[in-house]
Amino acid sequence: MNEENIDGTNGCSKVRTGTQNEAALLALMEKTGYNMVQENGQRKFGGPPPGWEGPPPPRGCEVFVGKIPRDMYEDELVPVFERAGKIYEFRLMMEFSGENRGYAFVMYTTKEEAQLAIRILNNYEIRPGKFIGVCVSLDNCRLFIGAIPKEKKKEEILDEMKKVTEGVVDVIVYPSATDKTKNRGFAFVEYESHRAAAMARRKLIPGTFQLWGHTIQVDWADPEKEVDEETMQRVKVLYVRNLMISTTEETIKAEFNKFKPGAVERVKKLRDYAFVHFFNRDDAVSAMSVMNGKCIDGASIEVTLAKPVNKENTWRQHLNGQISPNSENLIVFANKEESYPKTLGKPLTLPARLNGQHSPSPTEIERCAYPFYPGTKLTPISMYSLKSNHFNSAVMHLDYYCNKNNWAPPEYYLYSTTSQDGKVLLVYKIVIPAIANGSQSYFMPDKLCTTLEDAKELAAQFTLLHLGTGIKTCHGPGYDHEDKDDET
């Protein structure tokens, strides 16, 4: 190990002695033949491994690992993750103190190995009572840009972003639901690499950067949900966007039935997008090819296959279903892109910045109320007799979780501050009395909200993630960890 590596391992002496730690890591390197280098707040093992020739593994070969005990290092972690396949690179995020930061990235040589790691190691008990979370990791190359003047066209936004940032590949702009001649006040900017996007975000994020005299809002776009090919091969529902608000479900069904009468089972429309359900998958695929780009009631529509969402994770996807390295990634949901917030970081009911290619889930959308007929027999029950999938909000999940552990209900303490533009911003601190004298006395997210409901929901969500609850937080579609290279 070079001098830098020795410094990095000696820094761990607060947890293990420098000699013990260094000896364990040196033994691992000697056994495997891998190199180890510490830089930019992370320690890299491999990348490439011994004897590797050619380019690095393709996108989709890396997994994110969360909830790692802070005093656990490569000599213990690498053997566990080698069970799933050959490791190309293992990157453990490090604190200056020498402890790890609780998460890592493991890149395998194939996508199949990465998927196997997720299957066999998600919720794996790495130490007695300590369960890690494993899920797919994706490089995000896309930024959300908010507060854009609505009269600006795609070409104008693209030209302006190329002037102020480097590596711009494209911009995605959606027309307003009510006026197709205007945009929705936001755009997605695609960059040539994660690093280029991270550098652009760093330049734009202070909150004072202006385009056309407007102070813009900048954050990561949530990466597109990746659904495995086998699941997508069974989908027979189309997602149709850019509809006129006035367009009816009957009109949509009639238009999609034109290419084959009777092929459409039903249509569910919400605002300016819809889900078109087919009886047969082949008909859905054919209709997608025929109808994409067609005009309905004067609007040019976009048609794609709808992407299923794991029902267990619709209330909170990331942390992707994952534990995020920073709480900025806590608020990721499969919601409608036409409902974008005017301010960044709103949880749940006011969705965060969704990827421009993302289509909402038909299973999530179609959760609905049923008629209550006179004479229907009702049975009084306790909410605690239900299963966790009956709850859709983090506040309810947290209350349920505390009850199941025989804890007193969580205590919420409200705080406020004022933004530079005079808005009252709110945040909740949550105290769990049963563990208040333990390792963490309270939980408070590092995001502020403009409404009471959003602040409470975000705080509950943040608390659930840090409690490591049984509610799955590391299963499902891929998600982005923007600080993976400490570029953000």
Side-chain angles (χ1 to χ4, degrees), residues 272-325:
D272 67 340
Y273 66 94
F275 293 98
V276 182
H277 297 249
F278 286 78
F279 290 104
N280 181 279
R281 173 182 164 79
D282 290 340
D283 290 340
V285 173
S286 298
M288 176 176 64
S289 176
V290 171
M291 296 299 295
N292 187 40
K294 295 289 186 181
C295 283
I296 297 181
D297 291 344
S300 179
I301 62 172
E302 296 177 18
V303 185
T304 59
L305 286 171
K307 292 189 175 182
V309 170
N310 187 320
K311 289 184 179 180
E312 286 185 336
N313 299 308
T314 54
W315 78 274
R316 178 194 56 195
Q317 279 182 315
H318 245 2
L319 241 211
N320 285 41
Q322 300 134 300
I323 292 294
S324 174

Side-chain angles (χ1 to χ4, degrees), residues 38-101:
Q38 181 161 330
E39 59 184 11
N40 296 331
Q42 59 183 326
R43 195 155 59 201
K44 295 183 179 181
F45 173 81
W52 180 271
E53 295 182 2
R59 185 179 173 92
C61 293
E62 187 174 68
V63 299
F64 167 80
V65 187
K67 296 189 284 188
I68 299 173
R70 295 298 183 100
D71 59 348
M72 181 173 280
Y73 302 98
E74 293 88 346
D75 57 298
E76 293 182 77
L77 292 166
V78 167
V80 171
F81 284 89
E82 283 180 329
R83 298 175 191 175
K86 183 176 179 63
I87 294 175
Y88 176 85
E89 180 181 72
F90 188 104
R91 294 185 293 121
L92 184 64
M93 303 299 122
M94 302 296 295
E95 298 281 12
F96 182 76
S97 65
E99 288 188 329
N100 76 63
R101 294 169 64 184

Side-chain angles (χ1 to χ4, degrees), residues 415-421 423-427 448-451:
Y415 298 86
S416 72
T417 187
T418 304
S419 67
Q420 292 182 349
D421 57 0
K423 290 181 180 177
V424 175
L425 303 178
L426 307 170
V427 65
L448 301 164
C449 299
T450 55
T451 70

Side-chain angles (χ1 to χ4, degrees), residues 139-350:
D139 283 335
N140 200 350
C141 300
R142 185 170 293 180
L143 294 182
F144 166 87
I145 309 294
I148 290 175
K150 293 188 176 182
E151 68 276 6
K152 296 299 178 182
K153 305 299 182 185
K154 174 177 177 174
E155 294 73 20
E156 296 176 274
I157 299 171
L158 178 61
D159 289 343
E160 196 67 19
M161 293 308 300
K162 284 184 174 180
K163 290 177 184 176
V164 298
T165 59
E166 297 181 0
V168 176
V169 174
D170 193 17
V171 297
I172 299 169
V173 182
Y174 290 122
S176 168
T178 55
D179 184 350
K180 300 300 182 183
T181 65
K182 296 182 178 180
N183 70 62
R184 296 186 181 180
F186 62 87
F188 296 96
V189 183
E190 185 81 18
Y191 289 85
E192 62 187 14
S193 66
H194 171 75
R195 180 175 180 82
M199 297 306 292
R201 178 177 178 270
R202 178 180 292 178
K203 179 178 180 180
L204 302 174
I205 201 66
T208 58
F209 201 91
Q210 292 192 343
L211 294 179
W212 304 289
H214 293 251
T215 300
I216 59 171
Q217 299 167 334
V218 181
D219 213 331
W220 291 104
D222 294 334
E224 182 181 4
K225 294 185 296 130
E226 291 214 345
V227 181
D228 65 89
E229 189 173 342
E230 182 181 351
T231 299
M232 289 304 295
Q233 288 296 324
R234 298 193 298 268
V235 172
K236 52 183 180 180
V237 181
L238 297 182
Y239 170 61
V240 184
R241 64 170 312 279
N242 201 34
L243 292 161
M244 299 296 290
I245 290 180
S246 58
T247 299
T248 65
E249 292 178 352
E250 290 73 21
T251 298
I252 299 168
K253 185 172 184 179
E255 290 290 334
F256 276 81
N257 265 331
K258 281 182 178 179
F259 91 100
K260 185 177 180 180
V264 177
E265 178 186 1
R266 67 184 188 277
V267 174
K268 181 67 176 179
K269 180 175 184 283
L270 297 99
R271 197 168 167 80
D272 67 340
Y273 66 94
F275 293 98
V276 182
H277 297 249
F278 286 78
F279 290 104
N280 181 279
R281 173 182 164 79
D282 290 340
D283 290 340
V285 173
S286 298
M288 176 176 64
S289 176
V290 171
M291 296 299 295
N292 187 40
K294 295 289 186 181
C295 283
I296 297 181
D297 291 344
S300 179
I301 62 172
E302 296 177 18
V303 185
T304 59
L305 286 171
K307 292 189 175 182
V309 170
N310 187 320
K311 289 184 179 180
E312 286 185 336
N313 299 308
T314 54
W315 78 274
R316 178 194 56 195
Q317 279 182 315
H318 245 2
L319 241 211
N320 285 41
Q322 300 134 300
I323 292 294
S324 174
N326 55 32
S327 61
E328 127 179 355
N329 287 322
L330 292 178
I331 35 188
V332 182
F333 307 92
N335 286 297
K336 292 67 85 177
E337 83 247 335
E338 79 285 351
S339 303
Y340 283 98
K342 294 180 180 178
T343 58
L344 300 178
K346 289 190 178 182
L348 288 178
T349 53
L350 297 176

Side-chain angles (χ1 to χ4, degrees), residues 423-462:
K423 290 181 180 177
V424 175
L425 303 178
L426 307 170
V427 65
Y428 270 101
K429 177 176 78 175
I430 295 181
V431 174
I432 310 292
I435 61 173
N437 295 323
S439 60
Q440 185 154 2
S441 59
Y442 67 90
F443 302 89
M444 181 182 287
D446 65 353
K447 294 286 183 182
L448 301 164
C449 299
T450 55
T451 70
L452 197 66
E453 294 84 358
D454 289 347
K456 192 169 187 178
E457 192 70 16
L458 179 58
Q461 189 183 77
F462 180 86

